[in-house]
Amino acid sequence: MKKYKGVLKHKWLLALGLSILVIVGFVAANNDKKNFEVVKNLDIFYSLFRELNGYYVDETDPEKLIKTGIDAMLESLDPYTTLIPESEIEGFRFMTTGEYAGIGALITKRDNYVVISEPYEGFPAQEAGLKAGDKILEIDGESMAGMEISQVSDKLKGAAQTQLKVKIERRGTKGTLEIPITRRVIQINAVPYYGMLNAETGIIILSNFTSDCYMEVEKAFNDLKNNSGMKNVILDMRGNPGGLLDEAVKVAGLFLPRGSEVVGTRGKVSQWDKTYRTPREPIDMEMPMAILISRGSASASEIVAGAMQDYDRALIIGQRSFGKGLVQTTRNLSYNAKLKVTTAKYYIPSGRCIQAVDYSHRNEDGSVGYIPDSLIREFRTKGGRKVFDGGGISPDVTVPTDKYSNLTFALIMQQTIFDYATDYVIKHPAIDVPLSFKLSDNDYNGLKQYVASLTDFKYQSESQENLKKLVETAKHEGYYDDVSETFASLEKDLAPNVEKDMDIFKDEVSELFTLELMRRYYYQKGAILYSLKDDKDVAQAVETLAKHDEYAGMLNGTILTHAGDKREVNQK
């Protein structure tokens, strides 16, 4: 074994040495000072690597050392320039196409096993009878004990039309179940839902920008307009992480004149700079339109929202978007790996750059942090409205987000609601439809008693967190010893009381529990239908579109919007 490891080390060293020689030859031919610096530092790196392998006191792992060096190097640039090893190529392909061959289910880790968290309606997992909460014990006879989510995912994926057998353990069922499933191509629809919110206003939810997603948006729009009498439209891109640039241009092209500039890319290599224009005649340029965005709306969704705002074609409603305006290009590497490298920045028609001014310092949720006024620049829309850059797209109408309590956050992160929903489904074969369902007090009390009975459920209240900070400050300033008994008493009084907190935060806990039930009984569409009932962003959009004079005033600049007021840009 030692001999084999020695051979591996020599291969790594030989590969590094040959790479250095190739670059040295290139530099010698070009005699470029900058390239000389490249070779100089690569030579230092090679020498260091060689010495480590030869003299470090413990056995080293060459692959791990190099990978660590690569990751640290890329991390010093931006969050989106990354190495994609051969083992992750399938996942990368799914992110861009929305298509893979497998069973069609989300999975999560619970203790030592992976469980089904959500089977997609109409796909092999659901059709074969897998349910949320099923613990995956074996796949094709191989134990999944101790396996990570990625490992189990790889086992579930495979060539279309191939069969696998999944052995599961299901709560409420004695013994184990072995379920045969035939894999098939899984194409996730980029428009998971569309429908009418009232007699005049329709909504189209666009969840990502995968291949041909614009066709799904077009189909939904035409159906609502021609068959349901839609007069106002809401395009919901909240939480949409982006995807294919060409698809963003095509989606914008559904509502803008043919040949309109949607986005431009500019980078170090000038021949790669390009302006993207709408390629076809639009399907509509008159219908009042609102676009919903959130802190999770990024990249392609920001391009569409920004372009529509710049052309005064739609009002943007929600929260400031993520601020991801960097263009990535994939470059092929050795051994079937790829480098996803940032090569340019996105600029929308007004001239604004979508990218956050400082992408290394963000809020806890990853969204754009505070931007100094000196770094915020003014731009103008086609109609002359003021808009500003600095990070992402600022909405014309801002809707504040609700912050979950520490209790609710713990119920989600520790999957307590998920586990109780599994037990609930066993006892309740059916529940009312999403638009009529209301969680009863008995149902909520059942959840409350379940949480209170858990010995391993732990969380800190916000008061405890603030007290901890106060204690640290008191110690730093030398006051702690004098009031230590008071702090001890406060800590005791502020200790979490689960049953009390479950009553205090009943509304938000009930909402999340009900959404989990909707996914169990009515899948993704059911959860969407239920959530739309009390959606603040949607309600604001419906109200804004109904006020025709106000809507027109905000678009033509006679009514100042959030996006046009520099004082408002940094508000969260």
Side-chain angles (χ1 to χ4, degrees):
M1 185 65 182
K2 286 184 178 179
K3 182 179 179 182
Y4 176 69
K5 285 185 176 179
V7 171
L8 275 180
K9 284 185 178 181
H10 289 308
K11 284 184 176 179
W12 273 92
L13 288 169
L14 180 61
L16 275 174
L18 288 173
S19 298
I20 296 291
L21 287 172
V22 169
I23 296 174
V24 167
F26 174 79
V27 174
N30 287 272
N31 194 27
D32 185 274
K33 183 178 179 181
K34 186 174 182 181
N35 283 333
F36 171 74
E37 289 296 321
V38 172
V39 172
K40 171 186 170 183
N41 286 284
L42 280 174
D43 193 19
I44 292 171
F45 181 78
Y46 168 67
S47 301
L48 181 148
F49 187 81
R50 181 187 61 205
E51 297 302 313
L52 277 177
N53 274 287
Y55 298 107
Y56 188 70
V57 63
D58 294 323
E59 197 70 33
T60 59
D61 183 338
E63 184 174 1
K64 185 178 180 181
L65 282 175
I66 294 294
K67 181 67 165 58
T68 301
I70 290 172
D71 290 344
M73 175 176 63
L74 298 181
E75 190 177 339
S76 71
L77 301 174
D78 66 69
Y80 316 111
T81 295
T82 57
L83 172 69
I84 306 169
E86 184 178 14
S87 60
E88 297 176 13
I89 290 298
E90 283 302 316
F92 174 71
R93 187 174 293 117
F94 170 63
M95 288 296 292
T96 55
T97 66
E99 181 181 290
Y100 69 98
I103 67 170
L106 292 177
I107 55 178
T108 188
K109 189 76 178 284
R110 296 297 286 122
D111 300 322
N112 199 40
Y113 284 92
V114 167
V115 303
I116 301 293
S117 63
E118 183 181 352
Y120 294 130
E121 186 177 14
F123 290 111
Q126 184 257 334
E127 292 173 348
L130 284 179
K131 299 179 182 296
D134 287 347
K135 182 189 295 183
I136 301 175
L137 303 177
E138 296 179 4
I139 297 176
D140 288 336
E142 181 181 351
S143 174
M144 294 294 108
M147 294 280 194
E148 296 301 320
I149 292 175
S150 59
Q151 295 173 299
V152 175
S153 177
D154 289 341
K155 295 288 183 183
L156 293 173
K157 292 174 184 175
Q161 304 309 315
T162 57
Q163 192 177 78
L164 70 158
K165 290 184 179 179
V166 180
K167 181 182 284 189
I168 64 164
E169 179 181 292
R170 178 176 293 166
R171 287 192 189 188
T173 301
K174 292 182 179 180
T176 61
L177 299 172
E178 190 166 80
I179 299 178
I181 308 174
T182 300
R183 299 181 182 93
R184 69 170 187 255
V185 172
I186 307 298
Q187 176 69 51
I188 305 299
N189 194 330
V191 177
Y193 177 81
Y194 69 90
M196 296 297 293
L197 298 168
N198 56 32
E200 293 190 341
T201 306
I203 187 169
I204 301 169
I205 298 177
L206 179 59
S207 61
N208 52 61
F209 285 84
T210 50
S211 297
D212 297 329
C213 70
Y214 80 97
M215 296 173 65
E216 297 299 327
V217 175
E218 181 176 12
K219 174 186 172 185
F221 182 90
N222 287 333
D223 187 15
L224 294 174
K225 180 181 179 180
N226 298 331
N227 300 319
S228 299
M230 180 175 69
K231 293 181 175 59
N232 305 317
V233 63
I234 299 170
L235 179 62
D236 186 353
M237 297 193 296
R238 290 173 296 175
N240 184 323
L244 299 174
L245 172 60
D246 287 344
E247 291 298 319
V249 176
K250 290 175 182 177
V251 169
L254 297 174
F255 308 102
L256 296 174
R258 182 174 185 173
S260 298
E261 177 184 345
V262 176
V263 65
T265 58
R266 301 177 215 160
K268 183 166 65 176
V269 183
S270 58
Q271 57 263 40
W272 288 358
D273 292 353
K274 187 175 180 181
T275 298
Y276 294 83
R277 300 181 180 278
T278 54
R280 50 165 283 181
E281 294 298 323
I283 56 174
D284 183 276
M285 291 197 302
E286 302 296 331
M287 184 179 292
M289 185 176 190
I291 294 178
L292 301 183
I293 60 172
S294 68
R295 295 181 180 184
S297 303
S299 192
S301 54
E302 295 177 286
I303 290 171
V304 172
M308 299 291 275
Q309 187 179 56
D310 282 352
Y311 283 109
D312 304 304
R313 174 63 185 89
L315 284 180
I316 312 303
I317 296 175
Q319 302 84 43
R320 185 170 58 185
S321 63
F322 187 82
K324 198 275 188 182
L326 300 178
V327 183
Q328 279 73 53
T329 303
T330 55
R331 307 288 295 173
N332 293 328
L333 302 177
S334 305
Y335 299 100
N336 298 317
K338 291 181 182 292
L339 171 65
K340 182 158 71 75
V341 57
T342 297
T343 55
K345 292 182 179 180
Y346 290 130
Y347 292 83
I348 51 178
S350 63
R352 290 181 288 168
C353 181
I354 295 170
Q355 178 59 38
V357 172
D358 182 2
Y359 48 71
S360 60
H361 297 92
R362 289 182 174 271
N363 298 320
E364 288 183 5
D365 61 2
S367 59
V368 179
Y370 179 81
I371 308 161
D373 283 352
S374 60
L375 296 180
I376 299 175
R377 295 183 300 163
E378 179 182 313
F379 295 83
R380 297 279 178 167
T381 68
K382 185 178 180 180
R385 289 193 297 150
K386 290 181 183 179
V387 285
F388 298 90
D389 67 356
I393 305 299
S394 290
D396 297 300
V397 180
T398 299
V399 182
T401 55
D402 294 327
K403 181 184 178 183
Y404 285 132
S405 66
N406 286 10
L407 167 70
T408 304
F409 189 74
L411 290 171
I412 298 169
M413 296 305 295
Q414 297 177 41
Q415 301 191 55
T416 310
I417 288 177
F418 178 87
D419 289 341
Y420 185 71
T422 301
D423 292 336
Y424 183 94
V425 171
I426 295 170
K427 299 173 185 175
H428 302 80
I431 62 173
D432 208 347
V433 295
L435 293 178
S436 304
F437 181 82
K438 182 175 176 59
L439 193 71
S440 69
D441 289 338
N442 285 338
D443 287 339
Y444 186 77
N445 287 333
L447 172 61
K448 184 169 73 171
Q449 291 165 14
Y450 171 76
V451 177
S453 70
L454 298 174
T455 57
D456 58 348
F457 179 71
K458 306 292 182 186
Y459 72 99
Q460 274 194 329
S461 67
E462 192 170 345
S463 297
Q464 280 181 303
E465 289 182 353
N466 290 329
L467 177 61
K468 187 177 179 181
K469 294 176 184 177
L470 182 59
V471 168
E472 291 173 356
T473 302
K475 287 180 177 178
H476 177 71
E477 294 181 342
Y479 296 123
Y480 178 76
D481 291 340
D482 295 335
V483 291
S484 59
E485 291 183 4
T486 303
F487 278 128
S489 177
L490 271 173
E491 187 174 2
K492 183 179 179 181
D493 292 340
L494 294 175
N497 182 321
V498 172
E499 292 194 47
K500 179 181 177 181
D501 287 349
M502 287 287 287
D503 287 334
I504 293 173
F505 302 110
K506 180 179 179 179
D507 289 346
E508 62 186 53
V509 174
S510 295
E511 183 76 11
L512 290 172
F513 179 47
T514 303
L515 280 173
E516 183 61 37
L517 294 181
M518 291 300 111
R519 280 189 283 268
R520 300 298 179 105
Y521 292 95
Y522 299 105
Y523 303 99
Q524 187 182 36
K525 285 186 178 179
I528 291 172
L529 272 172
Y530 178 82
S531 65
L532 288 176
K533 290 194 304 180
D534 299 310
D535 191 309
K536 293 181 180 179
D537 292 357
V538 170
Q540 179 64 66
V542 170
E543 179 184 342
T544 301
L545 289 169
K547 297 177 179 178
H548 302 298
D549 291 342
E550 186 176 318
Y551 170 83
M554 284 191 280
L555 282 182
N556 65 30
T558 57
I559 297 177
L560 183 64
T561 69
H562 172 107
D565 188 346
K566 187 175 182 178
R567 295 168 301 173
E568 300 289 320
V569 170
N570 264 316
Q571 288 193 3
K572 299 178 181 179

